[in-house]
Amino acid sequence: VATNSWRSLTGAQLSQEYYPMMFVAPNGRVIEVGPDLRTRSLDTSGAGQWTQLTSRTAGYRYAGTAAM
């Protein structure tokens, strides 16, 4: 934000599905809620880091929606 430019989060390399369902949480982290089986949180500070929050057993969702 300070430099108003893009930067690479080298500590958060992750292959994403097409059209991930993502939201910005009040603490500034990015939350990925689908379509993958895992729900993850992305900390964008420093080099970045993904943290798995939970996972579901109901299977992969190829299509769907998400609302915050």
Side-chain angles (χ1 to χ4, degrees):
V1 174
T3 61
N4 197 27
S5 62
W6 290 94
R7 63 187 177 90
S8 181
L9 299 177
T10 56
Q13 301 297 315
L14 179 69
S15 177
Q16 288 285 335
E17 300 292 334
Y18 290 121
Y19 310 110
M21 300 165 194
M22 304 178 101
F23 302 99
V24 178
N27 64 3
R29 290 179 178 233
V30 178
I31 308 297
E32 177 195 14
V33 298
D36 196 11
L37 293 172
R38 293 167 290 278
T39 298
R40 299 180 182 100
S41 169
L42 174 61
D43 181 357
T44 60
S45 65
Q49 178 179 348
W50 284 102
T51 302
Q52 182 172 324
L53 302 176
T54 188
S55 64
R56 64 176 181 275
T57 59
Y60 184 86
R61 295 189 177 158
Y62 294 96
T65 61
M68 187 164 90

PDB file of all heavy atoms in Angstrom, residues 29-65:
ATOM      1  N   ARG A  29      -6.512 -10.036   6.416  1.00  0.00           N
ATOM      2  CA  ARG A  29      -6.149 -11.281   5.734  1.00  0.00           C
ATOM      3  C   ARG A  29      -7.172 -11.589   4.651  1.00  0.00           C
ATOM      4  O   ARG A  29      -8.302 -11.139   4.705  1.00  0.00           O
ATOM      5  CB  ARG A  29      -6.075 -12.442   6.715  1.00  0.00           C
ATOM      6  CG  ARG A  29      -4.901 -12.333   7.646  1.00  0.00           C
ATOM      7  CD  ARG A  29      -4.873 -13.490   8.612  1.00  0.00           C
ATOM      8  NE  ARG A  29      -3.710 -13.398   9.459  1.00  0.00           N
ATOM      9  CZ  ARG A  29      -2.840 -14.368   9.614  1.00  0.00           C
ATOM     10  NH1 ARG A  29      -3.009 -15.513   8.989  1.00  0.00           N
ATOM     11  NH2 ARG A  29      -1.796 -14.214  10.391  1.00  0.00           N
ATOM     12  N   VAL A  30      -6.745 -12.381   3.679  1.00  0.00           N
ATOM     13  CA  VAL A  30      -7.628 -12.814   2.607  1.00  0.00           C
ATOM     14  C   VAL A  30      -8.057 -14.241   2.930  1.00  0.00           C
ATOM     15  O   VAL A  30      -7.217 -15.097   3.218  1.00  0.00           O
ATOM     16  CB  VAL A  30      -6.907 -12.764   1.245  1.00  0.00           C
ATOM     17  CG1 VAL A  30      -7.804 -13.271   0.144  1.00  0.00           C
ATOM     18  CG2 VAL A  30      -6.442 -11.341   0.956  1.00  0.00           C
ATOM     19  N   ILE A  31      -9.368 -14.502   2.915  1.00  0.00           N
ATOM     20  CA  ILE A  31      -9.904 -15.823   3.233  1.00  0.00           C
ATOM     21  C   ILE A  31     -10.397 -16.474   1.950  1.00  0.00           C
ATOM     22  O   ILE A  31     -11.198 -15.884   1.220  1.00  0.00           O
ATOM     23  CB  ILE A  31     -11.069 -15.732   4.246  1.00  0.00           C
ATOM     24  CG1 ILE A  31     -10.672 -14.917   5.473  1.00  0.00           C
ATOM     25  CG2 ILE A  31     -11.567 -17.117   4.625  1.00  0.00           C
ATOM     26  CD1 ILE A  31      -9.556 -15.503   6.288  1.00  0.00           C
ATOM     27  N   GLU A  32      -9.907 -17.685   1.670  1.00  0.00           N
ATOM     28  CA  GLU A  32     -10.366 -18.458   0.518  1.00  0.00           C
ATOM     29  C   GLU A  32     -11.347 -19.508   1.036  1.00  0.00           C
ATOM     30  O   GLU A  32     -10.988 -20.379   1.831  1.00  0.00           O
ATOM     31  CB  GLU A  32      -9.200 -19.153  -0.173  1.00  0.00           C
ATOM     32  CG  GLU A  32      -9.650 -20.023  -1.323  1.00  0.00           C
ATOM     33  CD  GLU A  32      -8.580 -20.994  -1.793  1.00  0.00           C
ATOM     34  OE1 GLU A  32      -7.582 -21.196  -1.096  1.00  0.00           O
ATOM     35  OE2 GLU A  32      -8.773 -21.549  -2.875  1.00  0.00           O
ATOM     36  N   VAL A  33     -12.606 -19.447   0.588  1.00  0.00           N
ATOM     37  CA  VAL A  33     -13.643 -20.355   1.089  1.00  0.00           C
ATOM     38  C   VAL A  33     -14.070 -21.400   0.059  1.00  0.00           C
ATOM     39  O   VAL A  33     -14.882 -22.256   0.366  1.00  0.00           O
ATOM     40  CB  VAL A  33     -14.879 -19.576   1.587  1.00  0.00           C
ATOM     41  CG1 VAL A  33     -14.509 -18.662   2.739  1.00  0.00           C
ATOM     42  CG2 VAL A  33     -15.520 -18.790   0.463  1.00  0.00           C
ATOM     43  N   GLY A  34     -13.561 -21.343  -1.136  1.00  0.00           N
ATOM     44  CA  GLY A  34     -13.939 -22.346  -2.138  1.00  0.00           C
ATOM     45  C   GLY A  34     -13.299 -22.023  -3.458  1.00  0.00           C
ATOM     46  O   GLY A  34     -12.710 -20.959  -3.622  1.00  0.00           O
ATOM     47  N   PRO A  35     -13.375 -22.910  -4.391  1.00  0.00           N
ATOM     48  CA  PRO A  35     -14.110 -24.169  -4.415  1.00  0.00           C
ATOM     49  C   PRO A  35     -13.332 -25.351  -3.845  1.00  0.00           C
ATOM     50  O   PRO A  35     -13.862 -26.450  -3.750  1.00  0.00           O
ATOM     51  CB  PRO A  35     -14.368 -24.384  -5.903  1.00  0.00           C
ATOM     52  CG  PRO A  35     -13.191 -23.787  -6.577  1.00  0.00           C
ATOM     53  CD  PRO A  35     -12.821 -22.593  -5.718  1.00  0.00           C
ATOM     54  N   ASP A  36     -12.090 -25.160  -3.448  1.00  0.00           N
ATOM     55  CA  ASP A  36     -11.254 -26.240  -2.931  1.00  0.00           C
ATOM     56  C   ASP A  36     -11.844 -26.816  -1.637  1.00  0.00           C
ATOM     57  O   ASP A  36     -12.676 -26.175  -0.983  1.00  0.00           O
ATOM     58  CB  ASP A  36      -9.843 -25.696  -2.672  1.00  0.00           C
ATOM     59  CG  ASP A  36      -8.804 -26.772  -2.502  1.00  0.00           C
ATOM     60  OD1 ASP A  36      -9.095 -27.945  -2.776  1.00  0.00           O
ATOM     61  OD2 ASP A  36      -7.677 -26.435  -2.091  1.00  0.00           O
ATOM     62  N   LEU A  37     -11.403 -27.982  -1.244  1.00  0.00           N
ATOM     63  CA  LEU A  37     -11.859 -28.610   0.001  1.00  0.00           C
ATOM     64  C   LEU A  37     -11.360 -27.872   1.234  1.00  0.00           C
ATOM     65  O   LEU A  37     -11.959 -27.959   2.296  1.00  0.00           O
ATOM     66  CB  LEU A  37     -11.378 -30.065   0.070  1.00  0.00           C
ATOM     67  CG  LEU A  37     -11.966 -31.030  -0.942  1.00  0.00           C
ATOM     68  CD1 LEU A  37     -11.263 -32.367  -0.866  1.00  0.00           C
ATOM     69  CD2 LEU A  37     -13.443 -31.198  -0.689  1.00  0.00           C
ATOM     70  N   ARG A  38     -10.256 -27.151   1.098  1.00  0.00           N
ATOM     71  CA  ARG A  38      -9.653 -26.472   2.240  1.00  0.00           C
ATOM     72  C   ARG A  38     -10.066 -25.002   2.298  1.00  0.00           C
ATOM     73  O   ARG A  38     -10.154 -24.343   1.277  1.00  0.00           O
ATOM     74  CB  ARG A  38      -8.136 -26.582   2.165  1.00  0.00           C
ATOM     75  CG  ARG A  38      -7.645 -28.007   2.356  1.00  0.00           C
ATOM     76  CD  ARG A  38      -6.191 -28.176   1.987  1.00  0.00           C
ATOM     77  NE  ARG A  38      -5.944 -28.064   0.558  1.00  0.00           N
ATOM     78  CZ  ARG A  38      -6.119 -29.048  -0.316  1.00  0.00           C
ATOM     79  NH1 ARG A  38      -6.556 -30.206   0.074  1.00  0.00           N
ATOM     80  NH2 ARG A  38      -5.870 -28.865  -1.592  1.00  0.00           N
ATOM     81  N   THR A  39     -10.295 -24.508   3.494  1.00  0.00           N
ATOM     82  CA  THR A  39     -10.504 -23.086   3.722  1.00  0.00           C
ATOM     83  C   THR A  39      -9.188 -22.539   4.250  1.00  0.00           C
ATOM     84  O   THR A  39      -8.637 -23.067   5.219  1.00  0.00           O
ATOM     85  CB  THR A  39     -11.634 -22.842   4.742  1.00  0.00           C
ATOM     86  OG1 THR A  39     -12.846 -23.362   4.210  1.00  0.00           O
ATOM     87  CG2 THR A  39     -11.813 -21.360   5.032  1.00  0.00           C
ATOM     88  N   ARG A  40      -8.680 -21.506   3.573  1.00  0.00           N
ATOM     89  CA  ARG A  40      -7.362 -20.979   3.910  1.00  0.00           C
ATOM     90  C   ARG A  40      -7.422 -19.485   4.205  1.00  0.00           C
ATOM     91  O   ARG A  40      -8.304 -18.783   3.735  1.00  0.00           O
ATOM     92  CB  ARG A  40      -6.397 -21.177   2.747  1.00  0.00           C
ATOM     93  CG  ARG A  40      -6.154 -22.589   2.351  1.00  0.00           C
ATOM     94  CD  ARG A  40      -5.161 -22.604   1.177  1.00  0.00           C
ATOM     95  NE  ARG A  40      -4.909 -23.921   0.694  1.00  0.00           N
ATOM     96  CZ  ARG A  40      -5.478 -24.446  -0.391  1.00  0.00           C
ATOM     97  NH1 ARG A  40      -6.323 -23.744  -1.108  1.00  0.00           N
ATOM     98  NH2 ARG A  40      -5.181 -25.664  -0.766  1.00  0.00           N
ATOM     99  N   SER A  41      -6.409 -19.037   4.923  1.00  0.00           N
ATOM    100  CA  SER A  41      -6.227 -17.620   5.221  1.00  0.00           C
ATOM    101  C   SER A  41      -4.872 -17.203   4.675  1.00  0.00           C
ATOM    102  O   SER A  41      -3.876 -17.904   4.868  1.00  0.00           O
ATOM    103  CB  SER A  41      -6.270 -17.424   6.739  1.00  0.00           C
ATOM    104  OG  SER A  41      -5.861 -16.130   7.094  1.00  0.00           O
ATOM    105  N   LEU A  42      -4.832 -16.074   3.979  1.00  0.00           N
ATOM    106  CA  LEU A  42      -3.579 -15.541   3.427  1.00  0.00           C
ATOM    107  C   LEU A  42      -3.174 -14.294   4.186  1.00  0.00           C
ATOM    108  O   LEU A  42      -3.903 -13.300   4.223  1.00  0.00           O
ATOM    109  CB  LEU A  42      -3.748 -15.204   1.942  1.00  0.00           C
ATOM    110  CG  LEU A  42      -2.570 -14.502   1.266  1.00  0.00           C
ATOM    111  CD1 LEU A  42      -1.315 -15.359   1.305  1.00  0.00           C
ATOM    112  CD2 LEU A  42      -2.926 -14.106  -0.154  1.00  0.00           C
ATOM    113  N   ASP A  43      -2.013 -14.359   4.807  1.00  0.00           N
ATOM    114  CA  ASP A  43      -1.407 -13.200   5.454  1.00  0.00           C
ATOM    115  C   ASP A  43      -0.525 -12.535   4.409  1.00  0.00           C
ATOM    116  O   ASP A  43       0.436 -13.136   3.926  1.00  0.00           O
ATOM    117  CB  ASP A  43      -0.590 -13.645   6.656  1.00  0.00           C
ATOM    118  CG  ASP A  43       0.064 -12.495   7.400  1.00  0.00           C
ATOM    119  OD1 ASP A  43      -0.059 -11.331   6.958  1.00  0.00           O
ATOM    120  OD2 ASP A  43       0.690 -12.758   8.434  1.00  0.00           O
ATOM    121  N   THR A  44      -0.848 -11.315   4.021  1.00  0.00           N
ATOM    122  CA  THR A  44      -0.113 -10.630   2.958  1.00  0.00           C
ATOM    123  C   THR A  44       1.078  -9.819   3.470  1.00  0.00           C
ATOM    124  O   THR A  44       1.753  -9.172   2.686  1.00  0.00           O
ATOM    125  CB  THR A  44      -1.046  -9.708   2.153  1.00  0.00           C
ATOM    126  OG1 THR A  44      -1.603  -8.736   3.030  1.00  0.00           O
ATOM    127  CG2 THR A  44      -2.149 -10.508   1.486  1.00  0.00           C
ATOM    128  N   SER A  45       1.335  -9.852   4.763  1.00  0.00           N
ATOM    129  CA  SER A  45       2.487  -9.100   5.279  1.00  0.00           C
ATOM    130  C   SER A  45       3.781  -9.835   4.947  1.00  0.00           C
ATOM    131  O   SER A  45       3.786 -11.057   4.751  1.00  0.00           O
ATOM    132  CB  SER A  45       2.365  -8.904   6.792  1.00  0.00           C
ATOM    133  OG  SER A  45       2.426 -10.141   7.460  1.00  0.00           O
ATOM    134  N   GLY A  46       4.859  -9.108   4.853  1.00  0.00           N
ATOM    135  CA  GLY A  46       6.160  -9.693   4.554  1.00  0.00           C
ATOM    136  C   GLY A  46       6.133 -10.452   3.239  1.00  0.00           C
ATOM    137  O   GLY A  46       5.665  -9.952   2.226  1.00  0.00           O
ATOM    138  N   ALA A  47       6.622 -11.707   3.270  1.00  0.00           N
ATOM    139  CA  ALA A  47       6.656 -12.548   2.070  1.00  0.00           C
ATOM    140  C   ALA A  47       5.334 -13.271   1.845  1.00  0.00           C
ATOM    141  O   ALA A  47       5.159 -13.944   0.855  1.00  0.00           O
ATOM    142  CB  ALA A  47       7.782 -13.563   2.182  1.00  0.00           C
ATOM    143  N   GLY A  48       4.382 -13.125   2.780  1.00  0.00           N
ATOM    144  CA  GLY A  48       3.091 -13.788   2.678  1.00  0.00           C
ATOM    145  C   GLY A  48       3.130 -15.208   3.207  1.00  0.00           C
ATOM    146  O   GLY A  48       4.188 -15.847   3.218  1.00  0.00           O
ATOM    147  N   GLN A  49       1.964 -15.686   3.660  1.00  0.00           N
ATOM    148  CA  GLN A  49       1.897 -17.061   4.172  1.00  0.00           C
ATOM    149  C   GLN A  49       0.449 -17.527   4.187  1.00  0.00           C
ATOM    150  O   GLN A  49      -0.442 -16.811   4.648  1.00  0.00           O
ATOM    151  CB  GLN A  49       2.457 -17.145   5.582  1.00  0.00           C
ATOM    152  CG  GLN A  49       2.379 -18.528   6.176  1.00  0.00           C
ATOM    153  CD  GLN A  49       2.956 -18.582   7.574  1.00  0.00           C
ATOM    154  OE1 GLN A  49       3.611 -17.658   8.042  1.00  0.00           O
ATOM    155  NE2 GLN A  49       2.714 -19.674   8.259  1.00  0.00           N
ATOM    156  N   TRP A  50       0.214 -18.742   3.664  1.00  0.00           N
ATOM    157  CA  TRP A  50      -1.099 -19.377   3.708  1.00  0.00           C
ATOM    158  C   TRP A  50      -1.207 -20.200   4.985  1.00  0.00           C
ATOM    159  O   TRP A  50      -0.258 -20.874   5.370  1.00  0.00           O
ATOM    160  CB  TRP A  50      -1.304 -20.317   2.528  1.00  0.00           C
ATOM    161  CG  TRP A  50      -1.595 -19.633   1.243  1.00  0.00           C
ATOM    162  CD1 TRP A  50      -0.726 -19.416   0.223  1.00  0.00           C
ATOM    163  CD2 TRP A  50      -2.847 -19.089   0.821  1.00  0.00           C
ATOM    164  NE1 TRP A  50      -1.363 -18.763  -0.805  1.00  0.00           N
ATOM    165  CE2 TRP A  50      -2.667 -18.555  -0.457  1.00  0.00           C
ATOM    166  CE3 TRP A  50      -4.115 -19.004   1.410  1.00  0.00           C
ATOM    167  CZ2 TRP A  50      -3.694 -17.943  -1.161  1.00  0.00           C
ATOM    168  CZ3 TRP A  50      -5.128 -18.392   0.707  1.00  0.00           C
ATOM    169  CH2 TRP A  50      -4.919 -17.873  -0.558  1.00  0.00           C
ATOM    170  N   THR A  51      -2.375 -20.174   5.616  1.00  0.00           N
ATOM    171  CA  THR A  51      -2.663 -21.005   6.776  1.00  0.00           C
ATOM    172  C   THR A  51      -3.970 -21.727   6.522  1.00  0.00           C
ATOM    173  O   THR A  51      -4.978 -21.083   6.194  1.00  0.00           O
ATOM    174  CB  THR A  51      -2.793 -20.147   8.053  1.00  0.00           C
ATOM    175  OG1 THR A  51      -1.586 -19.419   8.235  1.00  0.00           O
ATOM    176  CG2 THR A  51      -3.074 -21.005   9.270  1.00  0.00           C
ATOM    177  N   GLN A  52      -3.968 -23.046   6.658  1.00  0.00           N
ATOM    178  CA  GLN A  52      -5.217 -23.792   6.492  1.00  0.00           C
ATOM    179  C   GLN A  52      -6.051 -23.629   7.753  1.00  0.00           C
ATOM    180  O   GLN A  52      -5.566 -23.847   8.862  1.00  0.00           O
ATOM    181  CB  GLN A  52      -4.950 -25.273   6.229  1.00  0.00           C
ATOM    182  CG  GLN A  52      -6.232 -26.041   6.000  1.00  0.00           C
ATOM    183  CD  GLN A  52      -5.999 -27.466   5.560  1.00  0.00           C
ATOM    184  OE1 GLN A  52      -5.069 -27.741   4.822  1.00  0.00           O
ATOM    185  NE2 GLN A  52      -6.849 -28.359   6.018  1.00  0.00           N
ATOM    186  N   LEU A  53      -7.310 -23.235   7.591  1.00  0.00           N
ATOM    187  CA  LEU A  53      -8.198 -23.024   8.722  1.00  0.00           C
ATOM    188  C   LEU A  53      -9.033 -24.269   9.016  1.00  0.00           C
ATOM    189  O   LEU A  53      -9.227 -24.631  10.169  1.00  0.00           O
ATOM    190  CB  LEU A  53      -9.120 -21.828   8.460  1.00  0.00           C
ATOM    191  CG  LEU A  53      -8.405 -20.505   8.181  1.00  0.00           C
ATOM    192  CD1 LEU A  53      -9.405 -19.426   7.833  1.00  0.00           C
ATOM    193  CD2 LEU A  53      -7.557 -20.101   9.370  1.00  0.00           C
ATOM    194  N   THR A  54      -9.558 -24.895   7.966  1.00  0.00           N
ATOM    195  CA  THR A  54     -10.385 -26.091   8.121  1.00  0.00           C
ATOM    196  C   THR A  54     -10.508 -26.766   6.767  1.00  0.00           C
ATOM    197  O   THR A  54     -10.022 -26.261   5.762  1.00  0.00           O
ATOM    198  CB  THR A  54     -11.780 -25.722   8.680  1.00  0.00           C
ATOM    199  OG1 THR A  54     -12.499 -26.916   8.993  1.00  0.00           O
ATOM    200  CG2 THR A  54     -12.580 -24.905   7.687  1.00  0.00           C
ATOM    201  N   SER A  55     -11.152 -27.898   6.738  1.00  0.00           N
ATOM    202  CA  SER A  55     -11.451 -28.566   5.473  1.00  0.00           C
ATOM    203  C   SER A  55     -12.797 -29.264   5.616  1.00  0.00           C
ATOM    204  O   SER A  55     -13.257 -29.522   6.722  1.00  0.00           O
ATOM    205  CB  SER A  55     -10.360 -29.567   5.098  1.00  0.00           C
ATOM    206  OG  SER A  55     -10.298 -30.602   6.053  1.00  0.00           O
ATOM    207  N   ARG A  56     -13.415 -29.536   4.481  1.00  0.00           N
ATOM    208  CA  ARG A  56     -14.711 -30.209   4.529  1.00  0.00           C
ATOM    209  C   ARG A  56     -14.577 -31.582   3.885  1.00  0.00           C
ATOM    210  O   ARG A  56     -13.674 -31.829   3.088  1.00  0.00           O
ATOM    211  CB  ARG A  56     -15.786 -29.375   3.848  1.00  0.00           C
ATOM    212  CG  ARG A  56     -15.590 -29.152   2.391  1.00  0.00           C
ATOM    213  CD  ARG A  56     -16.780 -28.382   1.790  1.00  0.00           C
ATOM    214  NE  ARG A  56     -16.570 -28.203   0.379  1.00  0.00           N
ATOM    215  CZ  ARG A  56     -15.878 -27.235  -0.173  1.00  0.00           C
ATOM    216  NH1 ARG A  56     -15.347 -26.315   0.594  1.00  0.00           N
ATOM    217  NH2 ARG A  56     -15.719 -27.159  -1.467  1.00  0.00           N
ATOM    218  N   THR A  57     -15.504 -32.460   4.204  1.00  0.00           N
ATOM    219  CA  THR A  57     -15.470 -33.824   3.677  1.00  0.00           C
ATOM    220  C   THR A  57     -16.523 -34.039   2.603  1.00  0.00           C
ATOM    221  O   THR A  57     -16.620 -35.120   2.054  1.00  0.00           O
ATOM    222  CB  THR A  57     -15.702 -34.836   4.811  1.00  0.00           C
ATOM    223  OG1 THR A  57     -16.969 -34.559   5.419  1.00  0.00           O
ATOM    224  CG2 THR A  57     -14.595 -34.757   5.841  1.00  0.00           C
ATOM    225  N   ALA A  58     -17.291 -33.021   2.286  1.00  0.00           N
ATOM    226  CA  ALA A  58     -18.414 -33.152   1.350  1.00  0.00           C
ATOM    227  C   ALA A  58     -17.980 -33.203  -0.110  1.00  0.00           C
ATOM    228  O   ALA A  58     -18.810 -33.358  -0.976  1.00  0.00           O
ATOM    229  CB  ALA A  58     -19.408 -32.017   1.556  1.00  0.00           C
ATOM    230  N   GLY A  59     -16.709 -33.058  -0.395  1.00  0.00           N
ATOM    231  CA  GLY A  59     -16.237 -33.127  -1.763  1.00  0.00           C
ATOM    232  C   GLY A  59     -16.013 -31.774  -2.394  1.00  0.00           C
ATOM    233  O   GLY A  59     -16.433 -30.739  -1.889  1.00  0.00           O
ATOM    234  N   TYR A  60     -15.337 -31.814  -3.520  1.00  0.00           N
ATOM    235  CA  TYR A  60     -14.985 -30.601  -4.270  1.00  0.00           C
ATOM    236  C   TYR A  60     -16.238 -29.983  -4.880  1.00  0.00           C
ATOM    237  O   TYR A  60     -17.124 -30.695  -5.365  1.00  0.00           O
ATOM    238  CB  TYR A  60     -14.001 -30.985  -5.374  1.00  0.00           C
ATOM    239  CG  TYR A  60     -13.489 -29.822  -6.159  1.00  0.00           C
ATOM    240  CD1 TYR A  60     -12.402 -29.095  -5.734  1.00  0.00           C
ATOM    241  CD2 TYR A  60     -14.111 -29.453  -7.347  1.00  0.00           C
ATOM    242  CE1 TYR A  60     -11.929 -28.026  -6.457  1.00  0.00           C
ATOM    243  CE2 TYR A  60     -13.637 -28.380  -8.078  1.00  0.00           C
ATOM    244  CZ  TYR A  60     -12.556 -27.675  -7.635  1.00  0.00           C
ATOM    245  OH  TYR A  60     -12.094 -26.614  -8.349  1.00  0.00           O
ATOM    246  N   ARG A  61     -16.329 -28.669  -4.876  1.00  0.00           N
ATOM    247  CA  ARG A  61     -17.476 -27.970  -5.466  1.00  0.00           C
ATOM    248  C   ARG A  61     -17.043 -27.307  -6.751  1.00  0.00           C
ATOM    249  O   ARG A  61     -16.345 -26.295  -6.748  1.00  0.00           O
ATOM    250  CB  ARG A  61     -18.017 -26.942  -4.491  1.00  0.00           C
ATOM    251  CG  ARG A  61     -18.583 -27.610  -3.264  1.00  0.00           C
ATOM    252  CD  ARG A  61     -19.312 -26.632  -2.402  1.00  0.00           C
ATOM    253  NE  ARG A  61     -19.867 -27.369  -1.290  1.00  0.00           N
ATOM    254  CZ  ARG A  61     -20.193 -26.814  -0.154  1.00  0.00           C
ATOM    255  NH1 ARG A  61     -20.039 -25.535   0.014  1.00  0.00           N
ATOM    256  NH2 ARG A  61     -20.713 -27.534   0.812  1.00  0.00           N
ATOM    257  N   TYR A  62     -17.454 -27.866  -7.867  1.00  0.00           N
ATOM    258  CA  TYR A  62     -17.070 -27.342  -9.180  1.00  0.00           C
ATOM    259  C   TYR A  62     -17.790 -26.039  -9.500  1.00  0.00           C
ATOM    260  O   TYR A  62     -17.313 -25.222 -10.252  1.00  0.00           O
ATOM    261  CB  TYR A  62     -17.364 -28.365 -10.275  1.00  0.00           C
ATOM    262  CG  TYR A  62     -16.514 -29.587 -10.152  1.00  0.00           C
ATOM    263  CD1 TYR A  62     -16.974 -30.722  -9.509  1.00  0.00           C
ATOM    264  CD2 TYR A  62     -15.220 -29.589 -10.653  1.00  0.00           C
ATOM    265  CE1 TYR A  62     -16.178 -31.844  -9.388  1.00  0.00           C
ATOM    266  CE2 TYR A  62     -14.409 -30.720 -10.537  1.00  0.00           C
ATOM    267  CZ  TYR A  62     -14.896 -31.838  -9.891  1.00  0.00           C
ATOM    268  OH  TYR A  62     -14.098 -32.929  -9.766  1.00  0.00           O
ATOM    269  N   ALA A  63     -18.951 -25.864  -8.948  1.00  0.00           N
ATOM    270  CA  ALA A  63     -19.725 -24.652  -9.197  1.00  0.00           C
ATOM    271  C   ALA A  63     -20.420 -24.242  -7.911  1.00  0.00           C
ATOM    272  O   ALA A  63     -20.715 -25.079  -7.057  1.00  0.00           O
ATOM    273  CB  ALA A  63     -20.773 -24.885 -10.289  1.00  0.00           C
ATOM    274  N   GLY A  64     -20.650 -22.996  -7.755  1.00  0.00           N
ATOM    275  CA  GLY A  64     -21.314 -22.530  -6.551  1.00  0.00           C
ATOM    276  C   GLY A  64     -21.113 -21.037  -6.371  1.00  0.00           C
ATOM    277  O   GLY A  64     -20.542 -20.362  -7.220  1.00  0.00           O
ATOM    278  N   THR A  65     -21.571 -20.562  -5.261  1.00  0.00           N
ATOM    279  CA  THR A  65     -21.448 -19.142  -4.932  1.00  0.00           C
ATOM    280  C   THR A  65     -20.981 -19.009  -3.491  1.00  0.00           C
ATOM    281  O   THR A  65     -20.991 -19.974  -2.731  1.00  0.00           O
ATOM    282  CB  THR A  65     -22.796 -18.420  -5.096  1.00  0.00           C
ATOM    283  OG1 THR A  65     -23.737 -19.013  -4.193  1.00  0.00           O
ATOM    284  CG2 THR A  65     -23.308 -18.517  -6.510  1.00  0.00           C
TER     285      THR A  65
END
